[in-house]
Amino acid sequence: MVGAGLGLDAILRATEDASPVESVDVVARNLEERFAACEVAFWFVDLSGQEAVRLPRAGAVDQARGDAERIPLSGSVYDHVLRSQRLYQEDGGAAGCRMVAPVTNRGDCIGALDLSVPYADDAVREAVAQAAHALAYIVVTDRRFTDLYHWGRRTTAVSLAAEIQHQLLPSASCCEAAQFTLACGLVPTDDIGGDTYDYALDEGTLHLSITDAMGHDTASALLATLAVNAVRGARRARHGVLDQAYAAHKALTEHAPRGMVTGQLLCASLETGACDVINAGHPWPLRLRAARLQEVTVKINLPFGVPVPVTYEVQRLQLEPGDRLVLLTDGMTEHAAPVDLPAIVHDTRDEHPREVVRALTGAIHEACGGSPPDDATTIVLDWHGRSGRRHSDAGADL
């Protein structure tokens, strides 16, 4: 019987028994055996979000390095699938049908599973969707043990500064939870050297940070390393946003006395939406509430590492269900003369945050001729509140 054999649990067990570089092949063989699938392929989204890259099957990786199959992502079937997060089916008559499923983990679009099957009914569609979902977890787990999945996302040479910088970023640029959805992005991806974004979720709090180290080279990446890890260290010691800010300042003044980092730190209560904010010399956030976009004019303190006595002040921002908060580094505004960033935020108000990030970074990338002279980074946060449902009710201003 077609479709009999290994199920989802067995796929996971089989991948655990295989080498991390063979996990995708295990999923492919499972689909071939269960549904007589052919032309099974996994397509990554590259670091820049501009291309889809086909991962070679096991045994062909070394030969394929530098010669991986690539296509522009925009306008492709993979773009459609990742934007819609829906299974795509294309009937091919006697040749069967093609199916493309999103490989996504908690909103983080990793890529797409592409295959052809002799026929497709609801059971086959459900099995393919489950296999793609399982593949997302498999890739997230196995990329800790191999460079294969990192290599698969690189379509250009990566500078040393960018290599350091990428290790500072969360492994997923998007996260979905009941109370919020957030997405992050930065350009250029192959030569960054100063900007970072970070987030972490604990039992009752969402922590966010966005920073911009002075300069644009390996030295700035090292400054960012000090700042980000100082903030993380304080956060993981269960300290609040104020202690996190002073930890970043102390790390820079002690270990890089000539370096400075601007930044914005936020701690949002999942229960109430109350958000503690510290702004250290950073651009103001933008807030979209009930279709009205405005700057949130929090008080600006001195950057981390400035060689004078500093005082950081915690300010309160109340997030309401339906709010969208946009955090930017100055690279988004300094090189955006031809770009109307507020208009992009407003026009994409009904889109998922990852599409807003894509629109913002894409506009900067295009305005700078494909190579922004400085890092440009953004975080887009949608706040759903305790109900986990978005609505357009207007709340009180800051």
Side-chain angles (χ1 to χ4, degrees):
M1 174 182 177
V2 175
L6 293 175
L8 187 58
D9 290 344
I11 290 178
L12 296 176
R13 287 196 300 271
T15 56
E16 287 183 352
D17 292 336
S19 164
V21 300
E22 297 174 348
S23 298
V24 174
D25 237 32
V26 169
V27 177
R29 288 195 299 268
N30 173 268
L31 294 169
E32 290 164 353
E33 293 168 5
R34 294 172 68 196
F35 305 110
C38 61
E39 300 179 13
V40 182
F42 175 50
W43 290 77
F44 274 108
V45 177
D46 81 329
L47 277 176
S48 69
Q50 303 297 313
E51 293 187 302
V53 184
R54 182 171 181 167
L55 184 74
R57 293 290 291 264
V61 173
D62 288 338
Q63 299 93 310
R65 284 185 183 274
D67 194 31
E69 185 178 352
R70 298 154 51 179
I71 63 169
L73 183 62
S74 180
S76 70
V77 64
Y78 309 117
D79 191 22
H80 168 75
V81 166
L82 294 175
R83 285 177 182 271
S84 68
Q85 288 296 296
R86 296 180 182 274
L87 181 77
Y88 168 85
Q89 181 174 326
E90 178 183 299
D91 294 323
C97 63
R98 179 190 184 191
M99 305 178 79
V100 182
V103 177
T104 301
N105 175 247
R106 288 193 177 274
D108 184 35
C109 293
I110 300 168
L113 181 65
D114 190 348
L115 68 155
S116 294
V117 292
Y119 79 98
D121 56 16
D122 288 344
V124 174
R125 283 186 285 270
E126 176 64 20
V128 170
Q130 284 191 357
H133 190 55
L135 183 57
Y137 282 91
I138 291 165
V139 171
V140 166
T141 299
D142 284 355
R143 66 187 175 193
R144 297 176 299 165
F145 311 117
T146 174
D147 284 338
L148 173 64
Y149 305 112
H150 298 284
W151 163 75
R153 298 189 64 201
R154 299 185 178 197
T155 50
T156 58
V158 175
S159 70
L160 175 58
E163 192 70 61
I164 295 170
Q165 208 81 348
H166 281 296
Q167 298 309 307
L168 296 176
L169 303 178
S171 60
S173 62
C174 183
C175 181
E176 294 178 344
Q179 299 90 344
F180 67 88
T181 302
L182 70 86
C184 318
L186 76 168
V187 289
T189 57
D190 53 359
D191 194 28
I192 52 176
D195 280 16
T196 71
Y197 59 78
D198 197 17
Y199 66 86
L201 185 64
D202 61 29
E203 296 91 338
T205 307
L206 171 65
H207 301 265
L208 292 177
S209 74
I210 185 168
T211 61
D212 180 1
M214 62 181 290
H216 183 73
D217 52 19
T218 304
S220 62
L222 296 176
L223 288 176
T225 300
L226 286 170
V228 170
N229 283 288
V231 170
R232 284 178 176 166
R235 186 187 75 211
R236 291 166 181 170
R238 313 292 284 183
H239 295 309
V241 67
L242 186 60
D243 288 334
Q244 293 174 26
Y246 280 114
H249 179 68
K250 183 173 184 287
L252 289 165
T253 55
E254 289 185 354
H255 302 288
R258 296 181 181 177
M260 292 185 294
V261 175
T262 69
Q264 201 147 221
L265 311 179
L266 299 90
C267 293
S269 167
L270 300 179
E271 179 72 16
T272 66
C275 186
D276 289 340
V277 182
I278 287 181
N279 184 303
H282 211 70
W284 283 324
L286 301 175
R287 181 178 60 198
L288 184 64
R289 175 177 288 174
R292 181 189 177 199
L293 182 68
Q294 64 180 135
E295 289 184 324
V296 182
T297 55
V298 296
K299 185 175 181 180
I300 299 177
N301 299 147
L302 291 173
F304 305 127
V306 65
V308 298
V310 299
T311 299
Y312 294 111
E313 299 178 56
V314 178
Q315 298 167 84
R316 178 59 59 90
L317 169 66
Q318 183 62 47
L319 295 174
E320 300 289 345
D323 280 356
R324 170 167 287 173
L325 196 66
V326 181
L327 309 181
L328 306 166
T329 60
D330 58 12
M332 292 293 295
T333 55
E334 289 176 356
H335 309 298
V339 179
D340 190 342
L341 296 178
I344 294 174
V345 174
H346 189 272
D347 292 346
T348 56
R349 61 190 178 276
D350 295 324
E351 299 283 347
H352 190 284
R354 64 174 167 255
E355 298 303 325
V356 185
V357 167
R358 186 173 172 180
L360 289 169
T361 56
I364 297 298
H365 193 269
E366 183 176 348
C368 296
S371 182
D374 197 5
D375 305 348
T377 303
T378 185
I379 299 176
V380 179
L381 170 69
D382 279 3
W383 193 257
H384 312 316
R386 290 183 60 190
S387 67
R389 297 188 299 271
R390 294 188 63 176
H391 60 78
S392 58
D393 296 344
D397 289 338
L398 176 70

